[in-house]
Each structure stands twice: as structure tokens, then as C-alpha cells.
Amino acid sequence: MRLLWELLVLHSVMLCLADDNTLHGPVFLQEPDSLIFPLDSEEKKVKLSCEVKGNPRPTIGWKLNGSSIDVGMDFHYSLLGGALLINNPNKSQDAGTYQCVATNPFGTIVSREAKLQFAYLENFKTRTRSTVSVRQGQGMVLLCGPPPHSGELTYAWIFNEYPTFVHQDNRRFVSQETGNLYIAKVETSDVGNYTCVVTNTVTNSKVLGPPTPLVLRNDGVMGEYEPKIEVQFPETVPSAKGTTVKLECFALGNPVPTISWRRADGKQLPRKARRHRSSGLLEIPNFQQEDAGLYECVAENVRGKNVARGQLTFYAQPSWTQQIRDVRAAIEERVSWECRASGRPKPSYRWLKDGEPLLPQGRVQLEQGSLTIANVSLSDAGMYQCVAENRHGVIFASAELSVIAIGPDFSKTLLKKLTLVKVGGDVIIECKPKASPRPTYSWKKGKDILRENERITVLDDGSLRIVNVTKADAGSYTCTATNHFGTASSTGSLVVKDPTRVMVSPFSMDVTVGESIVLPCQVSHDHSLDIAFTWSFNGHLIDFDKDGDHFEKVGGQDSAGDLMIRSIQLKHAGKYICMVQTSVDKLSAAADLIVRGPPGPPEAVTIEEVTDSTAQLSWRPGADNHSPITMYVVQARTPFSVGWQAVSTVPEVIDGRTFTATVVGLNPWVEYEFRVVAANLIGIGEPSSPSEKRRTEEALPEVTPANVSGGGGSKSELVITWETVPEELQNGGGFGYVVAFRPLGTVSWMQTVVASPDAARYVFRNESLPPFSPYEVKVGVYNNKGEGSFSPVTVVYSAEEEPTRAPTTVLARSISASDVEVSWAPPWESQHKGRIQGYEVRCWRHDEKEENAKRIRTVGNQTSTKVGNLRGNALYHLAVRAYNTAGTGPSSAAVNVTTKKPPPSQPPGNIVWNSSDSKIILNWDQVKALDNESEVRGYKVLYRWNRESSTSVIETNKTSVELSLPFDEDYIIEIKPFSDGGDGSSSEQIRIPKISNAYARGSGSSTSSACTLSALSVIMISLTARSSL
């Protein structure tokens, strides 16, 4: 009995601490893996890994073949962390199955099994082998007979001397199962010495067997014979899931047999299967259940065939599909675990507790992967492991059972200090102490024991339920919990409040789009309680921040939560619920809002029938949005229209009860789509989706080309032009033009067809066509339906001839440094053909090419012109020729002219002005021309009022001038020299201010200086901005 209470105290203390310090049993982080150790390894040490967590930290031990290893007493072993180190491992002593064992106060677990094997390869015992003598054409087998070994081997054969190895093909095969060399048909080239090479894939060591001589017998050649299968796979080949299965098959025979593979059940070989060594090896990677079956190897030559069969069976090591998890159970509860594993064969199960086998007895029941412990006690606490195994493998799953055994404890689950409830409401006061086993409960109100009745009930979990609460139920309540480990209690108060009542409920309303309304929601409630109003719309809470454009809570007092809806839209129709909540109750009131608005879009607009100018439409009405539809309007769109356009219909006005209409006035052979718009007393709704696109039928063309004209062109041509008819007015396919023309005054029309609808020009060519002769012209239209009408008749002239004679008497003279005047006489009328529309003057400098000449054209009978923007003092060539619409005529002989020297580049300087009476006298220095400039012939004085733009000019050959100008205005004056080369550079502008005295003087070129003179003195204004000459 004392031991039981010690266990009780230990588990109780540790479980309480576990809440804060996460104490738990051992858990494997890394388990040992099976390994093969090379005996000749220089390491001379084997390491089996094991890593465990737990709190307290677990101790680690090891088992070999089920027996514990005493690491402390045997220096052959040592621990590194949790790993087991085996020093100088010995094949006979250390080979076997190892398990890691982890233990702490919560229990013990054992790891999966890890096998330690040793790999080695000894030398061949015999040093010589007998000579093998065969006939040519006979099959032959050379035995390898590998020496004692452990670990996977590979085989090869040396022919005569290293490094010449036997090449495997359809005639020679080396079995990786036995190491033997098979030659299906011996040839003379096979004579020699053969040595078997054996390699251990683990140790990478190689040994060579004794050479075997092969010679040919001299008693004849072996005749043909049917295949004899010498290498074949077993009748049953167990194959693990996910592995690569290799099947060998090889036959002797003459001729050399061919090897093929198939499944005996008629199924196709797996697509992933690969054939090697001329089909002597069949390899199936990632072997699965569907790959299992009876496989056949067929060896065949002209003498016959032979078949070897073997069954590939599928097996899989156990793999968890359901593992066990840690369980925390109260004492005397029932605990159940279930683990499940897949595998082939189907795994069996066993259970371990703290590393030892668990057997079914009394309260413990085991059935396959299920473990049930009834009425758990503290002695049941520990580490449990489910073990699933078949003959191909063993797996372990671990979990901890913690048994809780404590008296009632309210330290973390005190009764709620204050519980609020409304009069007439229901309340539950929770009582949930921590306890194991489950306690019994009793309640007190104040100091009185509480008796259960039709209103007061103690629930199974200990909570107290009171229904139809009255004011008399208010007070303090105490819950007492008791089990055989102790008793504890906790007290809380119940406060009863008056219920909340809705005084003004929202009411259903009927509104129009765009209006604003308020839905009222006003209540009476206990003012000592906080109250909250929320609104929902069609089942979703209204987010007043997100939807503030339309929704706002108004009211201004804690008993009102009215809802304002601004600028109502159709989407706002539906059910609105005002929800009121306090800490003791919540209630709601609802109202429906009907929103009337323009109709929704009509549906299913369909084109029933089309003609060349009409379309029969039908549709279904859309939502009327609570206001009857009064009318419909049909709109159409074509590839040529700008957006949607209203169209004429029959009936002209479509009332709201009519769902068909005929659209009239359409253009033939145009692709139309239609839509319908509905209207009611509130407004016009959204348009329907467009109908399908349909083309109207063809009709005779009605629109003729506009702006028929022409003229010009080359000699012997009549050019006729017009504006094309737009595609939407062509009324059908195969559209084109009919061009008709005749000489003015004749009766018969000549006609031609222009088949392109995009053509806008026709040229009639005939050498006998007289130049510039009038023709009557008209252009008609046609399409697949026939010909339409012609345009009005207009007169067009045929092409004219270009002038045939050059102008005569061409003269040129220089009139300035940049301008030349050229004149000429027209050709004699009797000596030329072709109408003259004007003349073209070509001018080019002597150092330029004639093709780059400047061209100036005159119009009409003008026989002279000025050529400007030329270089001064330069030699130019000029030529003249006549032109008309047909082109230009021959050019006159070129004449030469040299432009005058440029005008002086220096402006007049030292300009001085004086005023006397009503005159202004100007004086300036003489301008001297440079050597490359024209001599000065005189000066131009330009003057104007400061407020006007028109300028007056006086010319003089002196360096002074007298101007009679009134004094009541400001004047702007400029002076510049002129010469045969033109006008020279101008002085800067001089401003002469309005003068109030009769006498004044000034000088310079500034327009911003002015001075007022006193009546008694004359002041010289010197505003000088001289330029050097």
C-alpha cells in the first residue's frame, strides 16, 4: 500500500510539473541503420547511431541479439552520445541484430532492429584449372566458382591477358548470379585462356581465379542443334516493392539463339522494363504489385525453341498507415490505441511496454493492432510500442501513457466572479475543476444547500443551470467538488438584470432609386449595461467603414441605433435586421426594403428573320424592378456606325407588353447586331446584351458615285475620277462601277466596267484622242443583283500636249546682290502646240549642277519674274520653259547674269539729333563700303510714331537730314545706307522723346533714354552706342 501512494505522489508531482516544464518520456530522433562493414577497412571501428530526446534526459543502452550489452564492463564497446562504437569489430563476435534502448522515469522504448554484417572476399583456393576442349560450333560453359565471401559480388572474365575482357553479346554471356561464362556457339576466335575476375562491391576488393585454357577439338565441327537454356531464373522470384528486379536467361545453340521475353498471362511487359546484353538480362525498375506475374524467356533458332518460366511475386515491408499517439488519461478511465500498417504479406502485431512484451491479461486486451486498458491505474503509466512485422521487416511506433491522479483543484478554473443574466433568461454557471478521477459536485446559494427542481439542475460536468431566472435567484453560489483524493470549492455571484425590449422597430418600406431613408431601431434597456447595435443586410453584417457611402448609423443616444441609407440603389433591396446586444441578452427586429428603379436589361434578343432592309426581332423582358415596363427601344450597330444608334421600328412605339418588333430602313448587305433598352416611369434601364450578328440580304445599288470629274493625265488619255461608294451603301457583293463617256455633242456612249469596289479612277487611252477635248462623262454602279443608276453627266477634258516650243528673247539683269529680274517672250502661236498654263524659270549658280537648279513657276501670261535669295557677286545661269498639265516644254537657251556686290555691312555711326522750332535735324558719319561691297549711293531714314507700326522713309545722298515733325509724340528713327547691291545694315533704333521745349539735342542709338530740357538752358543728351566702321 505504501508503494502505491509513493507512485501516486510521484506521478501527481511530475504531471503537475509537466504543465510548466514539458516533462515527457523518451522519443527517438535517430534510430540505427543496418550496415555492412568491410573486414579489411582501415577504420577498424563500427558506429551505430542513436539519438533520443526526453525530459528528464534519457539514458541509452544497447542490445545484441536480444541481450543487453554491458558497455561499462567490455572495453570492446563504447558510447559516443547515444551512438554505439564497436572497436576492432570481429566477424564471429559482433555480427547480429542491434537495438538502441532509451529510458527515463516515464518509461523505456527500444529502436528498430539494425543488422551488422561483415563484407569480405577470400582468394581462390586452386591455382590451376583443366583445359576445356570443345568442337567448333558447340556451346560451352566456363565455371567461375567464387571463393568464400560476404557481400554482393560482380563478375567479369579476362580473355588471355589483362586488360582484354570478354565482350558480352548475343553469343557470349557472363551471369552475375553464378559468375559463369557462357558461349552459345564456340568459334575459332574463342581459343585462349579465360580468367574469372570477382569484385566485392562493398569492399571494392578484387580476386582473379586461375586461368582456364580453351582449345578446339580436331574431330570435326558441331552441327546445328536447337537452343538449350543454361542460364535461367528461379521458378519463384520474391521481389520487394520499389526495388529493381533482374532476370537472367541465356541459351546455347547452333545457330546462336535469339532471346525474347514475355508475360505468360498475355499482358504486355511493363513499359519501364529494359533489356540488356542482347536481351540476356531483363531489368524491371521500381517494382510494384502490378508487375508481379509469370514471366517467360524464349530462346529460339532455326532448329527450334525452348522456354524458361518463373513467377515474380510481390512483397513489401511493413509501412505505417496509422500510428499511435501520446495519451493523457485520468485514473480509472478506459484507454484504447490502434495501429495499422500496410505490407505484403499482411503484417502481424505485438505490443511492448517499457521495452518488454505486453501480454493480454485482466484489464489489458490485445487484438491485432488494438490495445485496450480498462480502468487505468498509475501502474499502467509508461512507454508503449506497437510492433508490426512480416518476414521482410519490422517497424516500431511509440507513444506515452500518462495517468492523471489528483484531487479537485480550482486554481486555474475558478468560478466566474460575476455572472449576468436577464429576468426570464437561462444561465449556466460553469464548475470545471481539474481532478482525476472525476469528482462529485454539490452547490450552495449563500450558506444554504441548493436543491434541484424544475428550474435548477446540476449538469453532468458539474455546471449549474437555472432557467426562467427571477430577481430572487440573484446572490452568491458555491460549487464543491470531491473525489477520494480531496475536496475543493469555488464561489461566484449571479446578478439579475431587467431585459432589453424593442420600442420602435424598423418597418418595411417601398422606395425609389436615389432616395434616402432612415430605418428606426429604438429600445429600452438596463442603463447599467453596455449596449451595442449592429445591422445586417441579406444575412451579412454591414461594414459602416467600407460601405459608408450609403450606410450610416444615426440616433444620437444609447437607446437608438437607427440606420440611414443614402442614395438608394437597386442592390440595396432586401432584408435588414437590427441586432441589439447587451451582456445579458440580445434581440433583433427585421424589415424588408423594396427598391423601385429603371428596368433591368431585356434578355435573349434574337433575330428571327431578315430581308434587304428589315429585321424581325424578339426578346424576353428583364426585371421590371417593381415598376411596370412602359416601352422598349431598339438600337443597332454596324461595322460602319459610331457606337449604337436608335433605329425605326414597326410598331413605331413598342409598349411594355410587346416583345417583338420589325426594324425598318436598314441598308442591304450590311452586318447588323441589335440590342433592346427598356424604360418605365422611373427611367431608362441598362441595354440588353447584343444579339448575334446577321447580314441583311442583297439589293440593287441605289447610291451613285459623287464628285465625278477628271482631266489631266498623259498624251492620248482621258482621265475620269470619282468618290467611291462606301461599303455600307453598296447593297451587295460583287460591287463595281460602269464608266460611260462620249465626245461632247455626240450621241453614242462608250462604256467600260471597273470591277473593284475600291477603284476611284479610270483612264481611257487612244492614240487618236484629240488633246484637251471636252467629253461628257457619267459613272454608274452594279452588284450581284444587277445594275443601278448613273451619276449626273459632267464634262471632263482629255489630256493636253505639253508645249512644243521654248520661250524666246530671254533677258536677265541683276537688281541687287540677292535679286535677279528675268524676262522672256512667249513662243509664236503659229509655231507651237499645247496650251500654255505658265512658265518655269530655272536658276543655278555657276559652280552648281543644273539638275539642282532653283525652280520658280509663273501662272498665266506673265512673262517676267524676280528670282531672290541669291548670293552676292556670283555668276548665275537662267533658262525658261513653258508648262501645262501634260508637262513642261523645251527649255530656252541659258543666259548668264552676275549679281551685284553685297551692300555695305557697317551701319551709320555717331548719329546726333537737334531740335529747333518744329524741326529735327539728324547728322551721322559717312559709311564707307569695303572692297567686296557695293559703293554707297545714299541713305534711307526710316521714322515712325512710337505707337504706330507704319514707317515713313526719306532718301538722301547726304549725311544729314531735316525732318519736320510735331513735338507732341515720341519717335523711333533708323538710318541705313543703300547701294546697287541693296540696302545695307541699319543703325539701332533711336528714340526721340516728346519735347516740351523748342530746343533740344541728343545723340546715340538707344531707345530708352530721354531728357526734359529747362527753358533757360540746352542740355546735351549723350547716349552713345557707337559701332566702328
Side-chain angles (χ1 to χ4, degrees):
M1 191 65 180
R2 182 170 177 271
L3 178 60
L4 177 60
W5 279 103
E6 287 176 349
L7 285 172
L8 175 61
V9 172
L10 173 65
H11 277 261
S12 297
V13 170
M14 298 189 75
L15 287 170
C16 290
L17 291 174
D19 289 341
D20 298 321
N21 300 321
T22 62
L23 301 173
H24 61 88
V27 177
F28 283 115
L29 299 177
Q30 183 181 10
E31 299 183 64
D33 293 312
S34 296
L35 59 85
I36 301 176
F37 182 76
L39 269 182
D40 57 357
S41 171
E42 296 180 358
E43 184 68 22
K44 300 302 181 185
K45 188 180 291 184
V46 172
K47 180 181 179 182
L48 295 172
S49 297
C50 182
E51 186 178 353
V52 185
K53 71 174 182 177
N55 190 9
R57 185 175 181 178
T59 59
I60 295 179
W62 286 83
K63 288 183 177 182
L64 171 59
N65 297 327
S67 300
S68 296
I69 298 174
D70 191 345
V71 177
M73 298 300 293
D74 191 343
F75 295 107
H76 183 58
Y77 301 102
S78 61
L79 289 178
L80 179 61
L84 177 66
L85 298 180
I86 305 175
N87 302 301
N88 298 312
N90 181 277
K91 177 177 65 172
S92 59
Q93 176 183 346
D94 297 319
T97 300
Y98 288 79
Q99 283 182 288
C100 176
V101 182
T103 302
N104 75 359
F106 291 99
T108 301
I109 55 174
V110 296
S111 73
R112 66 188 174 205
E113 298 176 344
K115 291 184 179 180
L116 174 61
Q117 298 174 289
F118 290 86
Y120 60 91
L121 177 62
E122 297 182 5
N123 289 317
F124 282 87
K125 297 291 188 271
T126 58
R127 296 187 177 181
T128 60
R129 290 195 176 178
S130 302
T131 299
V132 176
S133 177
V134 296
R135 290 192 182 94
Q136 183 177 346
Q138 185 178 354
M140 180 270 301
V141 181
L142 295 181
L143 305 180
C144 178
H149 63 276
S150 176
E152 184 179 356
L153 302 181
T154 61
Y155 302 93
W157 285 78
I158 296 174
F159 179 54
N160 289 329
E161 293 183 356
Y162 180 83
T164 303
F165 285 90
V166 173
H167 174 68
Q168 298 186 66
D169 51 23
N170 63 339
R171 197 170 62 83
R172 290 165 294 190
F173 183 80
V174 176
S175 170
Q176 297 303 310
E177 298 291 336
T178 63
N180 298 339
L181 169 63
Y182 299 85
I183 302 178
K185 173 188 173 186
V186 175
E187 298 179 353
T188 55
S189 60
D190 297 324
V191 173
N193 291 321
Y194 290 83
T195 304
C196 180
V197 181
V198 183
T199 303
N200 190 311
T201 59
V202 180
T203 64
N204 286 324
S205 57
K206 294 182 181 180
V207 293
L208 275 64
T212 301
L214 174 65
V215 299
L216 291 180
R217 292 168 55 174
N218 53 13
D219 57 351
V221 176
M222 186 74 173
E224 293 182 351
Y225 62 96
E226 68 179 14
K228 179 183 179 184
I229 296 178
E230 289 288 340
V231 180
Q232 67 183 70
F233 48 99
E235 291 184 0
T236 301
V237 183
S239 304
K241 176 183 179 181
T243 60
T244 297
V245 177
K246 297 179 180 180
L247 303 179
E248 290 185 339
C249 183
F250 192 77
L252 311 182
N254 187 7
V256 175
T258 60
I259 304 296
S260 61
W261 295 85
R262 67 190 182 196
R263 290 185 61 159
D265 56 11
K267 296 180 181 178
Q268 294 293 322
L269 287 175
R271 295 184 63 180
K272 59 189 175 183
R274 299 187 291 265
R275 299 168 179 80
H276 301 285
R277 305 180 207 155
S278 299
S279 293
L281 174 66
L282 178 68
E283 187 175 277
I284 305 173
N286 190 24
F287 189 79
Q288 298 297 322
Q289 174 73 52
E290 61 269 19
D291 300 325
L294 184 62
Y295 285 72
E296 293 183 339
C297 163
V298 181
E300 189 172 8
N301 65 10
V302 295
R303 286 294 180 177
K305 68 179 180 180
N306 211 336
V307 178
R309 296 179 179 86
Q311 184 79 32
L312 269 65
T313 60
F314 174 83
Y315 74 84
Q317 296 179 351
S319 175
W320 289 120
T321 59
Q322 178 181 337
Q323 297 193 49
I324 57 176
R325 298 285 183 264
D326 292 344
V327 171
R328 292 170 61 87
I331 195 168
E332 299 178 357
E333 284 187 352
R334 179 186 181 89
V335 172
S336 293
W337 267 310
E338 185 174 14
C339 59
R340 287 284 178 264
S342 62
R344 191 175 181 92
K346 186 177 180 180
S348 61
Y349 302 91
R350 54 189 172 91
W351 289 82
L352 305 177
K353 183 195 174 192
D354 294 330
E356 299 298 329
L358 182 65
L359 301 176
Q361 56 180 358
R363 296 178 299 106
V364 179
Q365 297 181 1
L366 301 179
E367 184 177 351
Q368 292 297 322
S370 297
L371 165 64
T372 302
I373 305 175
N375 195 23
V376 294
S377 64
L378 290 175
S379 61
D380 295 321
M383 299 300 300
Y384 288 78
Q385 289 181 281
C386 177
V387 184
E389 58 190 331
N390 63 16
R391 63 175 177 268
H392 303 293
V394 183
I395 54 176
F396 292 74
S398 304
E400 179 181 353
L401 173 59
S402 304
V403 180
I404 306 170
I406 58 174
D409 179 11
F410 280 100
S411 61
K412 294 186 178 179
T413 55
L414 290 171
L415 256 66
K416 193 174 180 181
K417 286 186 177 181
L418 192 66
T419 301
L420 299 177
V421 64
K422 69 177 180 177
V423 173
D426 299 342
V427 66
I428 294 178
I429 304 175
E430 291 187 343
C431 179
K432 294 184 177 180
K434 186 174 184 181
S436 180
R438 179 181 170 187
T440 60
Y441 300 94
S442 62
W443 283 84
K444 288 182 180 181
K445 181 185 178 189
K447 296 181 179 181
D448 299 326
I449 295 175
L450 196 63
R451 305 294 182 184
E452 293 188 69
N453 56 40
E454 66 275 2
R455 287 196 314 113
I456 300 173
T457 309
V458 178
L459 302 179
D460 290 342
D461 64 356
S463 299
L464 178 65
R465 181 184 183 193
I466 307 175
V467 300
N468 195 16
V469 174
T470 67
K471 289 279 189 177
D473 293 322
S476 66
Y477 288 80
T478 301
C479 176
T480 301
T482 303
N483 68 10
H484 48 267
F485 295 116
T487 299
S489 63
S490 180
T491 301
S493 295
L494 178 65
V495 177
V496 181
K497 297 287 187 178
D498 290 327
T500 305
R501 291 184 174 86
V502 176
M503 306 305 293
V504 181
S505 299
F507 51 89
S508 297
M509 302 179 70
D510 189 328
V511 298
T512 301
V513 166
E515 292 182 353
S516 297
I517 62 166
V518 173
L519 293 176
C521 185
Q522 299 175 13
V523 300
S524 66
H525 69 101
D526 189 320
H527 290 280
S528 66
L529 301 176
D530 291 333
I531 188 168
F533 291 87
T534 55
W535 284 83
S536 71
F537 168 50
N538 289 337
H540 299 282
L541 281 178
I542 296 176
D543 185 337
F544 289 95
D545 292 329
K546 181 179 177 182
D547 300 319
D549 290 345
H550 294 284
F551 296 113
E552 180 184 356
K553 267 197 291 190
V554 295
Q557 52 186 329
D558 66 351
S559 296
D562 300 346
L563 173 66
M564 173 179 278
I565 311 175
R566 296 193 202 87
S567 186
I568 290 176
Q569 305 298 311
L570 289 171
K571 64 182 180 180
H572 295 139
K575 181 179 287 296
Y576 289 81
I577 300 176
C578 173
M579 293 169 286
V580 187
Q581 184 167 1
T582 69
S583 53
V584 299
D585 59 0
K586 61 181 178 179
L587 62 163
S588 63
D592 291 319
L593 184 64
I594 297 174
V595 180
R596 302 185 187 276
E603 301 173 352
V605 177
T606 305
I607 303 173
E608 304 289 351
E609 184 180 353
V610 294
T611 67
D612 59 354
S613 62
T614 66
Q616 179 74 36
L617 303 183
S618 66
W619 61 89
R620 293 201 307 266
D624 65 4
N625 292 327
H626 306 290
S627 179
I629 296 172
T630 56
M631 67 176 296
Y632 291 98
V633 175
V634 179
Q635 298 175 339
R637 181 172 64 181
T638 73
F640 316 107
S641 64
V642 180
W644 290 91
Q645 306 289 332
V647 291
S648 300
T649 60
V650 176
E652 186 175 352
V653 177
I654 309 169
D655 62 43
R657 297 182 301 277
T658 301
F659 310 121
T660 62
T662 301
V663 182
V664 297
L666 303 180
N667 290 329
W669 199 239
V670 172
E671 188 176 65
Y672 283 89
E673 54 183 334
F674 300 94
R675 71 182 187 184
V676 180
V677 182
N680 59 18
L681 294 177
I682 297 173
I684 299 173
E686 293 292 321
S688 69
S689 298
S691 68
E692 63 174 332
K693 295 179 180 180
R694 287 275 295 273
R695 188 185 288 273
T696 50
E697 294 182 353
E698 294 179 306
L700 286 173
E702 296 177 355
V703 177
T704 60
N707 293 329
V708 176
S709 61
S714 300
K715 182 181 178 181
S716 302
E717 288 184 349
L718 174 63
V719 178
I720 303 169
T721 61
W722 60 89
E723 288 185 7
T724 58
V725 175
E727 184 181 346
E728 65 267 30
L729 300 178
Q730 292 174 3
N731 289 10
F735 184 84
Y737 301 94
V738 179
V739 181
F741 54 93
R742 65 186 177 187
L744 184 63
T746 62
V747 176
S748 298
W749 291 91
M750 290 180 283
Q751 290 189 358
T752 187
V753 172
V754 180
S756 171
D758 299 321
R761 187 172 186 264
Y762 171 70
V763 179
F764 174 68
R765 295 180 179 85
N766 193 318
E767 293 297 329
S768 63
L769 201 66
F772 206 65
S773 298
Y775 280 80
E776 289 184 313
V777 173
K778 60 182 180 180
V779 180
V781 290
Y782 72 92
N783 62 17
N784 290 337
K785 299 292 285 186
E787 292 188 14
S789 56
F790 280 89
S791 67
V793 175
T794 187
V795 175
V796 174
Y797 283 82
S798 62
E800 54 189 344
E801 289 183 301
E802 64 270 11
T804 58
R805 294 284 183 173
T808 61
T809 320
V810 178
L811 299 175
R813 69 183 183 90
S814 174
I815 56 177
S816 72
S818 60
D819 299 315
V820 169
E821 184 179 64
V822 59
S823 62
W824 58 89
W828 292 101
E829 291 186 7
S830 60
Q831 295 180 346
H832 83 90
K833 297 179 182 178
R835 182 172 62 100
I836 294 177
Q837 285 186 295
Y839 296 91
E840 181 181 85
V841 178
R842 293 180 298 125
C843 175
W844 67 96
R845 208 169 56 243
H846 182 69
D847 56 355
E848 293 178 335
K849 294 182 179 180
E850 183 178 353
E851 54 265 26
N852 297 329
K854 177 187 293 188
R855 287 174 169 79
I856 299 171
R857 282 199 168 189
T858 66
V859 179
N861 297 326
Q862 181 182 341
T863 58
S864 67
T865 189
K866 185 170 75 172
V867 181
N869 295 321
L870 304 180
R871 183 183 296 178
N873 197 26
L875 175 61
Y876 282 88
H877 307 289
L878 297 99
V880 184
R881 56 187 177 185
Y883 73 86
N884 60 20
T885 58
T888 55
S891 179
S892 70
V895 297
N896 303 329
V897 64
T898 300
T899 54
K900 296 182 182 297
K901 290 182 179 181
S905 57
Q906 296 299 327
N910 198 20
I911 301 172
V912 178
W913 61 270
N914 293 281
S915 65
S916 175
D917 297 330
S918 61
K919 297 179 180 179
I920 295 176
I921 302 171
L922 293 165
N923 291 278
W924 60 87
D925 289 344
Q926 182 177 356
V927 176
K928 294 184 179 180
L930 302 178
D931 292 341
N932 61 344
E933 296 175 344
S934 299
E935 290 296 329
V936 176
R937 290 175 49 206
Y939 300 90
K940 293 181 179 180
V941 179
L942 298 80
Y943 60 94
R944 64 180 173 83
W945 286 358
N946 192 23
R947 294 180 301 171
E948 294 189 358
S949 59
S950 61
T951 302
S952 300
V953 180
I954 295 177
E955 291 188 6
T956 179
N957 55 7
K958 299 178 181 180
T959 57
S960 64
V961 70
E962 183 179 286
L963 301 176
S964 296
L965 300 174
F967 288 149
D968 58 350
E969 291 289 345
D970 290 352
Y971 281 89
I972 303 298
I973 296 178
E974 296 178 58
I975 305 172
K976 58 183 176 183
F978 65 86
S979 65
D980 290 341
D983 292 346
S985 300
S986 176
S987 69
E988 294 191 15
Q989 292 183 343
I990 303 165
R991 178 171 175 252
I992 299 178
K994 180 167 60 176
I995 299 171
S996 61
N997 195 290
Y999 300 96
R1001 174 180 294 178
S1003 67
S1005 57
S1006 174
T1007 64
S1008 61
S1009 299
C1011 182
T1012 302
L1013 306 178
S1014 69
L1016 300 176
S1017 62
V1018 177
I1019 300 175
M1020 175 70 74
I1021 302 174
S1022 179
L1023 304 170
T1024 307
R1026 296 179 58 87
S1027 300
S1028 60
L1029 297 176

